[in-house]
Amino acid sequence: MPSNTPHRLFINGDWLASKAGRYSEVHSPSSGALLGRVTEATAADVDLAIDAAEQAFEQWRLTTALARANLLLKLNQLIERDRSTLAHTISSEMGKPLKEAQAELDYCIDLIRFAAENARRIEGDIIPGSRSGEQILIQRLPHGVVAGIAAWNFPAALLGRKLGPALAAGNTVVLKPHELTPLSGLAIAALVKEAGFPPGVVNIVTGGIEVGQRLVANPKVKLVTMTGSTAAGKKIMAAAADTLKEVRLELGGKAPFIVMEDADLDDAADAAVRSRFGNAGQICTSNERTLVHAAVYDQFVEKLLARIKRLKVGDPLAADTDMGPKVSAAELDKVDRMVQKARQQGARVLLGGERLQGEAYDQGHFYAPTVLDGVTTDMEIAHQEVFGPVLSLIKVADFEEALRLANDSVYGLSAYIFTNNLQYLMRLGTDLDFGEIYVNREGGEAAQGFHHGYGDSGLGGEDGKYGLDAYSRHKTVYLNAGRTRI
Ligand code: NAD
């Protein structure tokens, strides 16, 4: 039984109650059980957190990179220590299977580790000046207060992905977990406190869209980094214009998954399934459109269906579960509506195509692993992000058609291709218009890579040295020693 006492806000190193006393409940998407109550922060609470972060920045920016890195590594040790309880929290509130929640924590740890390792490598330049004896220093300095706004599908890793590089670069942060999955963020806040970060360096506020809106509106916030839907990202970018703050947006996707005639079909089928049904299809890099060469189509579909039929759907906390529920009733309704519409538009259901029913499913938001055949580009499902366990099959005649259909999207985050044909591979750089391409493998970013999307998929990018770059700004100093001559 969860405690009836609502979780407080983590502000200035302390747990603060909101004067307004507004709370919301967090429920399991699998069983409907009440998991806890969290504070709905008001604008005044958010401002308090931002003030604390701004004040903490004065000292934090003067700390050495090594000191900041050591605190991040300490936080990692605590996440590692509490890995099984944290995984339980993620699974319970988000619905992903325990083994995926554990993998998410490993990924979160790795993102923070990369940031810590590279804190000492945030380097500038020294350029010879145009005057005798003058040097031009290009320094890399923190922005100040960074606001991190997260989606629900990776409640811990998305916070780590923002917190790690922001702190390594000398910023302070105010983080907002998604309203559906705030408990993982609050658990991380407790570890931040235990790790000994100075008060105000990390603040975590809970609540809905209004909390995010206040973070974006407050002029003391210098950079907003948000992961979420394209619609919300566009609103954030428009709102940030009022105070001309920098924005980094990691948004939706519609990844094509191309299987060419020479592909290893077993590997391709394994990866297609993992990249579609992992996290119940709720990953921005998910295989949203499976484009298969006509010569291997039937063989590939047979392999695919055999694998999908073996997936065990159910309680995310059970050790052998492969796929849990959708995160919410609204998300479940959206997926079913899209499938029924595709059906009306002429797609054939090879598997699933409906909500799961029965004792194990009735209290949760479960959808059957679904395969649609005969999907054509005029259908909504070929263009809008499904973000659910629905694999859409599209037959293509050749590589040219695969490229043309793959690029026919407003999104440009991830793409997949299975082939060993050098002629095809050489064209990925110029002809496949996505920020991140996986060749002969399933999805899953590396901490040292660069996760970034084109078009409606976002702006900026995260991870690796390019992601870290975003968390500092440049300062140019023309330095001369008083003996300058023009
Ligand atoms: P969402 O846009 O509903 O919410 C994301 C966050 O933004 C939440 O914390 C929410 O409270 C906040 N928010 C919403 N509107 C806001 C506004 N106007 N001002 C300020 N804050 C606001 O998205 P979601 O449903 O949580 O996430 C699903 C989406 O996220 C999918 O489209 C998925 O592809 C995308 N996603 C992208 C990546 C990536 O790295 N590109 C990673 C994970 C998820």
Side-chain angles (χ1 to χ4, degrees):
M1 277 290 286
S3 147
N4 239 349
T5 317
H7 292 272
R8 297 179 169 195
L9 306 167
F10 185 64
I11 297 178
N12 208 21
D14 232 330
W15 296 102
L16 295 190
S18 169
K19 286 198 181 70
R22 288 195 290 128
Y23 307 105
S24 59
E25 293 184 341
V26 184
H27 291 269
S28 156
S30 161
S31 67
L34 177 66
L35 300 174
R37 298 168 75 214
V38 299
T39 301
E40 295 244 356
T42 62
D45 298 324
V46 176
D47 287 350
L48 203 63
I50 294 168
D51 286 348
E54 192 187 50
Q55 214 176 344
F57 178 65
E58 285 313 308
Q59 288 305 313
W60 181 248
R61 71 195 176 98
L62 302 177
T63 55
T64 64
L66 183 59
R68 298 195 296 271
N70 282 337
L71 276 167
L72 287 170
L73 294 173
K74 175 73 187 160
L75 175 63
N76 261 357
Q77 280 172 6
L78 299 176
I79 296 175
E80 186 73 59
R81 184 197 68 191
D82 290 359
R83 188 167 171 270
S84 55
T85 15
L86 286 169
H88 192 277
T89 303
I90 295 171
S91 252
S92 305
E93 68 174 349
M94 198 261 124
K96 69 176 61 173
L98 259 186
K99 55 191 170 193
E100 289 189 25
Q102 281 156 356
E104 174 178 344
L105 286 165
D106 292 341
Y107 182 47
C108 177
I109 288 170
D110 202 30
L111 290 164
I112 294 174
R113 185 191 297 125
F114 181 88
E117 283 168 350
N118 287 279
R120 283 194 279 184
R121 298 195 183 94
I122 299 175
E123 296 161 350
D125 301 298
I126 302 174
I127 300 168
S130 305
R131 298 181 174 198
S132 170
E134 186 177 76
Q135 295 191 333
I136 304 171
L137 311 187
I138 313 267
Q139 298 179 322
R140 306 296 305 270
L141 298 163
H143 294 272
V145 180
V146 171
I149 302 176
W152 44 260
N153 61 340
F154 284 86
L158 292 179
L159 292 184
R161 190 179 231 171
K162 296 179 188 310
L163 169 152
L167 298 186
N171 304 281
T172 55
V173 295
V174 182
L175 301 174
K176 177 190 135 28
H178 194 278
E179 45 275 38
L180 289 172
T181 54
L183 301 177
S184 318
L186 291 168
I188 289 176
L191 301 184
V192 162
K193 190 171 166 69
E194 189 180 341
F197 282 90
V201 167
V202 180
N203 307 273
I204 300 196
V205 288
T206 49
I209 292 175
E210 306 75 38
V211 173
Q213 285 170 327
R214 186 58 204 158
L215 284 170
V216 177
N218 189 310
K220 293 178 182 172
V221 171
K222 301 303 177 198
L223 166 71
V224 173
T225 162
M226 177 269 199
T227 301
S229 62
T230 299
K234 287 181 178 176
K235 285 187 190 144
I236 286 175
M237 189 163 173
D242 273 349
T243 45
L244 269 187
K245 54 176 58 94
E246 292 210 25
V247 286
R248 295 284 181 278
L249 303 170
E250 310 308 324
L251 309 176
K254 190 75 192 165
F257 189 107
I258 302 172
V259 182
M260 292 312 298
E261 71 278 25
D262 69 318
D264 179 316
L265 295 186
D266 286 304
D267 283 358
D270 284 342
V273 171
R274 284 175 68 180
S275 302
R276 174 71 283 186
F277 299 98
N279 204 11
Q282 303 166 118
I283 307 182
C284 56
T285 56
S286 283
N287 158 20
E288 287 263 335
R289 301 174 284 158
T290 313
L291 307 171
V292 188
H293 192 284
V296 293
Y297 188 86
D298 291 343
Q299 216 187 332
F300 178 72
V301 172
E302 195 181 314
K303 288 176 184 292
L304 203 58
L305 292 176
R307 284 161 172 77
I308 299 168
K309 284 177 187 161
R310 288 199 294 267
L311 292 176
K312 190 165 182 316
V313 184
D315 177 4
L317 296 173
D320 59 344
T321 295
D322 298 309
M323 196 181 100
K326 288 282 299 165
V327 74
S328 66
E331 276 289 316
L332 177 69
D333 288 347
K334 179 200 76 183
V335 168
D336 191 46
R337 188 192 54 71
M338 289 182 80
V339 169
Q340 302 322 326
K341 185 158 181 189
R343 208 175 215 164
Q344 285 157 17
Q345 291 179 317
R348 286 180 299 280
V349 177
L350 298 187
L351 206 63
E354 59 193 2
R355 294 156 204 254
L356 283 171
Q357 286 173 349
E359 207 183 325
Y361 305 121
D362 286 350
Q363 304 306 314
H365 314 303
F366 289 94
Y367 205 74
T370 294
V371 178
L372 299 179
D373 180 27
V375 172
T376 51
T377 55
D378 52 338
M379 295 180 188
E380 176 200 65
I381 206 154
H383 294 284
Q384 279 187 24
E385 190 183 38
V386 183
F387 222 54
V390 181
L391 189 147
S392 295
L393 284 161
I394 302 174
K395 197 184 282 185
V396 294
D398 53 25
F399 186 58
E400 299 308 325
E401 187 179 17
L403 282 180
R404 186 170 54 74
L405 297 188
N407 288 332
D408 181 18
S409 176
V410 294
Y411 294 109
L413 184 57
S414 311
Y416 300 79
I417 182 162
F418 271 75
T419 182
N420 288 307
N421 183 325
L422 189 61
Q423 305 290 330
Y424 298 158
L425 293 172
M426 293 296 285
R427 289 186 53 196
L428 299 185
T430 48
D431 295 353
L432 190 58
D433 204 22
F434 291 81
E436 180 175 274
I437 301 177
Y438 295 102
V439 180
N440 296 325
R441 56 159 286 185
E442 78 287 5
E445 308 95 84
Q448 70 274 26
F450 186 43
H451 178 59
H452 62 128
Y454 303 151
D456 274 11
S457 290
L459 201 71
E462 287 188 296
D463 308 339
K465 65 176 179 178
Y466 300 113
L468 186 56
D469 272 355
Y471 289 94
S472 60
R473 54 186 183 158
H474 295 89
K475 180 173 282 189
T476 309
V477 180
Y478 289 85
L479 186 69
N480 66 69
R483 54 186 182 84
T484 297
R485 297 284 178 278
I486 295 175

